[in-house]
Every structure is written in C-alpha cells, then in structure tokens.
Amino acid sequence: MPDPPALAAQDDDLSRKRKLALILEHRADDADAGQDAAAKDDDAMDADDTELDETTHIDGLCVECQDHPAQLHCAGCAEDYCNECWTAQHKKGRSRARHATTPIHQDDTDSNRPASSASASVTTTTVPGIDPTAIAAAAVAPGPDNGPHPAADLGLTPTITPDANAFGEWLAERVQWIPVRLTLDERKLLRLLDAALRVSEYTDKVDILTYTSRAKRIVVQIRELCQILSGLVLAADYKTGQELFQDRDFAANAAWFQHVFEIGRRHKICNPEKFRSSYGKLLYLLQDSALPEVQNMLGFSCIMPIKTVHRVLEEHGALALLRDAAVWDATSEIVPDGKTRRQIDAEIRRKERAVETLAKKYATRSLAPETIRQLLYSIGDHHHYLRFHRDPCDRMLRYLTTHFSSENGTTPSLAIRAGSGGARLSHSHSKQFAYVFQSLVMWREVAHDMFMLWALAEDDMLASGANTYRLRDTGQGLNRVQPCPKAGRAMHAILRRAQARVGGPANWVGSSVIHLGDHNVPNALMLIDKYTQVPRILAPVLQALDKLGDVAANPSLRAYLVNAEFAPRGRRIRTRW
C-alpha cells in the first residue's frame, strides 16, 4: 500500500498539472479572441479605407493597386482585387482569410469599364514649357497651381498625351542647355572642390591694384588651389591620390582638374541657391586661366565644356530618345498638390515604368541603362527648376490681373506719387499696373530661358583672346568689366518677346536698355546673379498671399489687420479673397 505522504504529493502534482492545463487553455482562448478582434479591427479599417477611396476607385481595376485588372471579387470586403493584392491583404487575421471569392471574367466588365489612368487623355501644361509662345500667352490663365486638375472630379490620375512630335522638337532644342545630374562619385569631388575654394584667397590676391605682374599672381594662386585639391584627394582616397599626383605634375592631370571644375559649374547651374560664395571665385579663376599668357605659364587649360543631356545623347547616337512618346511620362514632375496618396503613387509607378522602358529600349554597349536614367532624371530636374523659378512669376501675374486689372471703385489703386511713400515717379493706376505687369513678364521670360542664358554667360566669361576684362571701380568696389556679346543678344531676344506680350515696344513703360558690360552690370556673372534672386523675393510674398484667406477667415485677426493702424495712408488693407 502506498505511503500517505507519497499519495499527498502525487495529488498535489496532479492538481498543479490541471491548473496549468486550465491556464494554458484560457490563454489560448484569449489569443483566439484577440486575433478575432484584431481581424475585426482590420476589417473595420479596410472598410474605412474603402469609404475614403470611393471617389478615386476606377471600376474594372484592382481596388488596392489601381493598376492591374480585377481578377477576384471578395464577398467579405465587397471589393474587386487582383490575385496578388487579395493575397497580400488577406494573409493576416482568421476572419479575413476565410473571405469567399468569386473569379471575375474580363469579358463581362470590359464594356462597362472606364478608361484607366494609363489611358485617360487630358491636355494640360503640367510639364512646363512645351511651346514657349503658347506658355507666354497662357501665363495669366488658371493652371495646375490654382486648383485640382479637371480630371480630379472624376477621381482619375490623368495621363497627359501631348503631340509627341511637337514635344520632341521642343525638348531636342531645350536639352542643349540642360546639365546632367551629378553622380555619387561626382558629388564627392564637388565637396572637395568646395572645401578648396572656401580656403582659397584667389580674388583677394588677384583683383587688387598693384604694380607686380598680374599673370604671375594668377598662376601662383591657380597652382595653390590645385595643390589644395591634390592634398584633399590624397586625404580622402590615398590610392587614387597617389596614382594621380605621384610626380606632382599638374599638366599631366589636366583632364582631372578640368573635370572637377566642370562639376562645380554644372552643380551651380542646377542649384542656383547653392555654392553661392564659391562659384564666383571659381568662375573668375577659370576666366583668368583662359588668358594666353597664363596658359603658357601654367602649362594646361582648366576649362572644358559643360556636360549636357544633348551632348551625351549625341555622342552615343541616341537623340531619337527625345522624340519617343514615353519621354513625356518619364520626365514629368510629380506635383502632390491637391492629389490623394493613391493618385501620387499611380503617377510615380507610371513614371518609373516609362523610365525603365526607355532605358531598356535605347541602351547600347556604350550607353548604359543607368546613364539613360540619369539623363531622364536630369530633364525632370529642369522641369522642377522651372516650377520653383519661373512659376512664381506666373502666380504673381495671376494675382495682379485678378485683383488689380481694372481701375474702379472696387479695385485698390496702384497709383504712386513722387515724394509720397518713397516713390520717385508719378504713375497713374493703369501706368503702374502696366509697369508691374511688364516687369513680371520680363522676369518670367528670363527664368524660362535661364539655362540657356547661363551657358551663354559662361561662354562670354571664359572666352579667350580679345574678349578680356578690365578691372574698374564701379562705385561698388573693384569689378571685372567685360563685354557680353552672346548673353546680350539673348537678352535682347527675350526683351522683344516680353514687349510683344504687352502689345509692342510702344506700350513699354520706361527704359528698354539692357545693361551689360558697364558700371551697372559689369559682366555676365552679375546678370545671372541678379535674375536668380527673383524667386527668393517672390516666394515669401506668395506664401503670405496664400495664407491671407485663412487669416481673413479669423474674425479677430481680420479686425486686427484692417484697423487704421495697419491701413496704408488711411486706406484699408484688401481682404476680399
């Protein structure tokens, strides 16, 4: 017969096992209940997402990706999915995995399905500058910045299908001036160049009035900059630096120095707000290096042409790419204003598909697919540049014509009087309106052709031979005064185009003289620097104007702004928006 203490121990052990089994069973039930609750929450969230996206769903396409044809109808979700999206959306949660599905036959839905986002045809001007004259005429017309696209009411992401030949012709001319985007390796060299230029005292040592030999001072400073660059390269990459500068012969590495200096110039053209203090120093250094006596003493040239999209395509015989119908989608800028996340994603997918299609179609042994992608993205960078530098002028023109186009009791007067409020002239409302309008039009046309102007300005600055500069005191210190024949001809063409916009030279208010190579604008670099400041001036003004509607909707702020203390010269601030 078993011992009583042994029986008691055995009973305690069985009791603990029963309790453990009950606890584990209870936890399992709780886990199942939690999974069911989570599945219900997922279904509720999916239902909410479905309600939010009802306005953008296109019948016949998968409700999730909006890209592939629907292949399954989910009875639990009451939505149509493609096979991949249904699997991805129903792999979590017990209840969702049990949703019943019904195959969808495409023949039954094709007749009732509207055009997908890849086939909808809507004519807009989302990509800036298809036809310069047409865009100039439409500068004050409503555009994409002022509201949703006409197709937004249909819930579609419009595909713009312009005349491929017309766009190709415009693009073929435009890409002559579009620089190629920097690669990762080129950005490393750019940082080295920027560091070398920051510590260089080139202009302080060269642009001074002294009796010593100017050519010798220039050569010493250029060699010093090359030595700094060599040291930085050696510090950043010892093996590469040793291979390049083992013999300390700068002339033997002329191609490398030319490439580094070209990277700095190319970066500045694409990003006018960057490289501000170093670019002028770099351009003056290159300007001096083009002098014949300096080249003879230096032993090599520091200048090479800017690497543009047109130059690369022409070298590889791939200019036909610019006239391909897919270039429009591959280079268009995706602007998120007024669009849903689904629309933005669809545009991104369409753009990437177009880029990959062109990369595979035009790739050769000498032209890699990655290079084609880089060229297409460079064209897209150009469109982005126009949106942030040219479009502010278009928006200001719309504000001007909308709120100040007529002189009547409801329109505030723009009239100015000499001696009043800092004005130096007396203009009626109509004359001042015409003056402001023509100034914005002129700024807009210059921004539209800025890449061309920049290339021509560098040609004038870096020209060797007779086109040399003179160091003169212009009233703002010593400046390099130099003729600008190429940039001057381009500016006069832009001026004539702007005058045509306002009805001809007879309607032009004020002087139509373009100052270049004189005391007002000493050289082409000053011209470029002057007009790249325009978006920096207009952008804050536009941000304030865009927010005025919200301010006017607040009664307290509205009363605060329109009182006599803030009203100019007794006139109340305009708040009718």
Side-chain angles (χ1 to χ4, degrees), residues 549-559:
D550 299 336
V551 173
N554 187 318
S556 301
L557 286 175
R558 183 186 182 95

Side-chain angles (χ1 to χ4, degrees), residues 283-521:
L283 205 61
Y284 283 161
L285 180 149
L286 296 177
Q287 184 183 33
D288 289 336
S289 71
L291 298 174
E293 60 271 22
V294 173
Q295 281 199 15
N296 292 335
M297 297 175 64
L298 193 60
F300 68 96
S301 173
C302 300
I303 303 170
M304 69 177 293
I306 290 288
K307 183 180 179 181
T308 63
V309 174
H310 185 276
R311 186 183 301 277
V312 175
L313 290 175
E314 188 177 34
E315 288 176 356
H316 296 87
L319 288 175
L321 178 146
L322 301 173
R323 293 174 173 81
D324 196 293
V327 169
W328 179 277
D329 283 335
T331 61
S332 62
E333 185 185 10
I334 299 173
V335 182
D337 300 341
K339 298 177 184 175
T340 64
R341 179 72 254 178
R342 190 180 300 278
Q343 289 174 315
I344 297 171
D345 290 341
E347 290 186 9
I348 293 173
R349 287 194 297 270
R350 185 169 65 242
K351 178 173 182 176
E352 292 304 320
R353 281 197 301 269
V355 170
E356 292 304 318
T357 298
L358 292 172
K360 293 178 181 178
K361 183 177 180 180
Y362 291 95
T364 62
R365 290 184 178 180
S366 61
L367 185 62
E370 185 58 35
T371 303
I372 296 177
R373 296 188 194 98
Q374 182 188 18
L375 299 179
L376 293 173
Y377 290 141
S378 300
I379 299 175
D381 293 342
H382 168 258
H383 298 329
H384 178 80
Y385 174 91
L386 289 180
R387 187 162 72 92
F388 279 93
H389 290 77
R390 183 201 62 185
D391 290 3
C393 299
D394 289 342
R395 295 181 60 197
M396 288 298 293
L397 283 168
R398 284 195 287 271
Y399 274 123
L400 179 67
T401 55
T402 301
H403 300 288
F404 301 96
S405 60
S406 61
E407 188 173 13
N408 51 49
T410 60
T411 301
S413 175
L414 296 176
I416 59 174
R417 182 176 298 175
S420 175
R424 300 177 60 186
L425 300 170
S426 295
H427 282 176
S428 64
H429 171 86
S430 58
K431 192 171 186 179
Q432 182 66 9
F433 175 87
Y435 180 74
V436 176
F437 184 88
Q438 75 181 31
S439 299
L440 288 171
V441 169
M442 185 68 181
W443 294 351
R444 188 238 181 237
E445 296 300 325
V446 170
H448 183 71
D449 288 332
M450 179 54 74
F451 279 16
M452 177 192 70
L453 280 174
W454 210 310
L456 297 178
E458 284 201 352
D459 286 347
D460 287 335
M461 291 282 293
L462 306 181
S464 59
N467 192 27
T468 57
Y469 64 87
R470 297 164 294 146
L471 202 60
R472 293 288 183 270
D473 185 358
T474 61
Q476 298 179 351
L478 291 175
N479 283 281
R480 302 186 177 197
V481 180
Q482 181 188 35
C484 314
K486 295 182 180 179
R489 285 192 293 270
M491 283 298 298
H492 280 92
I494 293 174
L495 174 63
R496 289 192 295 270
R497 195 162 70 229
Q499 288 177 337
R501 263 296 299 285
V502 299
N507 296 327
W508 193 260
V509 178
S511 174
S512 59
V513 176
I514 294 177
H515 292 279
L516 267 177
D518 55 17
H519 281 55
N520 294 306
V521 184

